[in-house]
Amino acid sequence: MTSSPTPDALLGPADIRELAAALGVRPTKQRGQNFVIDANTVRRIVRTAQVRPDDVVVEVGPGLGSLTLALLEVADRVTAVEIDDVLAGALPATVTARMPERADRFALVHSDAMHVTELPGPAPTALVANLPYNVAVPVLLHMLDTFPAIERTLVMVQAEVADRLAAPPGSKVYGVPSVKANWYAEVKRAGAIGRNVFWPAPNVDSGLVSLVRRSEPPRTTASKREVFAVVDAAFAQRRKTLRAALAGWAGSAAAAEEALVAAGVSPQARGESLTVEEFARIAEHKTTQDQEKESA
């Protein structure tokens, strides 16, 4: 039986600065790096994520390892995906030094998360990450799409992005991220994170977003790609009615109106009022139109 991690296994502010200095690491805005320096915050993230002892967790952007160590305290396995050469090189040594009894349950993938298509070991059941602000949404959607075994996700992102991801139809900030995230999961805000728990302190607030995967995506004969094409077109010109916004996608305003009416959606509606299921119906009717034209 493995011994439990020592109370001081997690990284505090002095540990983070010491590690960074030893590695010559200066957090860069280009990669959206803000390291969490508060042990209570990372433990709170793990609790909010409802990480269980049987979970296989994938973490994106582990940085110096603050959250990684907190995840290893609870999860069965943790796989971290890190793009930065220096950080990727140092993290396994940090895990071994601070949590030697769990080191064999840790794996590192040195790669851009957007290019990761497979992970070592068992399939991940949870995604928990402090996502770099500049790539948070595409990384989140890529991971949910690529690893269908991920049941639960908790990500820390810029507060504004958290609001967008969790926004319901009709909200001013409801948009492409809201609809696409909802294709995969039930999405909700799961708390706020203060600026003082980061080094360097960002000039924006952060928020937690919880995503619980749907048992199945919306029922539709249209493919995900076809549905997402409608979503992208609908929000490319937010102020326009769907009849006008979808004209390019459908081939003409008349064809867009035909697909909208067939889907039970008002041609005068705007994208921010539609659910993901309604976008799926519109895509489905466009596909039917195309098939009828081909067979005519």
Side-chain angles (χ1 to χ4, degrees), residues 42 59 65 111 125 135 140 265 277 286 290:
V42 290
E59 180 191 8
S111 176
T125 57
V135 294
L140 172 63
V265 175
E277 287 81 7
K286 167 69 160 53
D290 291 346

Side-chain angles (χ1 to χ4, degrees), residues 101-145:
E101 71 289 347
R102 305 290 287 169
D104 63 337
R105 295 181 174 274
F106 171 73
L108 180 97
V109 175
H110 180 196
S111 176
D112 179 343
M114 287 298 292
H115 299 152
V116 169
T117 55
E118 55 184 6
L119 294 167
T125 57
L127 165 64
V128 184
N130 168 21
L131 288 178
Y133 290 167
N134 50 350
V135 294
V137 172
V139 165
L140 172 63
L141 296 177
H142 171 75
M143 295 300 286
L144 289 173
D145 193 53

Side-chain angles (χ1 to χ4, degrees), residues 91-215:
L91 189 54
T94 301
V95 170
T96 300
R98 301 191 75 91
M99 223 173 265
E101 71 289 347
R102 305 290 287 169
D104 63 337
R105 295 181 174 274
F106 171 73
L108 180 97
V109 175
H110 180 196
S111 176
D112 179 343
M114 287 298 292
H115 299 152
V116 169
T117 55
E118 55 184 6
L119 294 167
T125 57
L127 165 64
V128 184
N130 168 21
L131 288 178
Y133 290 167
N134 50 350
V135 294
V137 172
V139 165
L140 172 63
L141 296 177
H142 171 75
M143 295 300 286
L144 289 173
D145 193 53
T146 307
F147 300 103
I150 293 174
E151 300 161 6
R152 284 161 290 117
T153 294
L154 188 81
V155 290
M156 177 158 55
V157 293
Q158 189 174 333
E160 186 186 326
V161 176
D163 288 340
R164 276 195 216 130
L165 282 167
S171 160
K172 283 184 179 176
V173 293
Y174 182 74
V176 173
S178 330
V179 185
K180 291 184 178 179
N182 210 249
W183 171 271
Y184 298 104
E186 301 293 336
V187 190
K188 65 177 185 180
R189 279 292 299 258
I193 301 286
R195 302 179 188 195
N196 60 339
V197 303
F198 294 97
W199 173 69
N203 56 7
V204 292
D205 294 320
S206 300
L208 297 175
V209 181
S210 161
L211 300 97
V212 177
R213 190 179 290 272
R214 291 168 173 263
S215 53

Side-chain angles (χ1 to χ4, degrees), residues 71-89:
L71 288 166
L72 275 167
E73 280 188 332
V74 180
D76 182 48
R77 293 182 169 278
V78 176
T79 299
V81 180
E82 177 59 66
I83 188 174
D84 186 284
D85 295 346
V86 175
L87 296 173

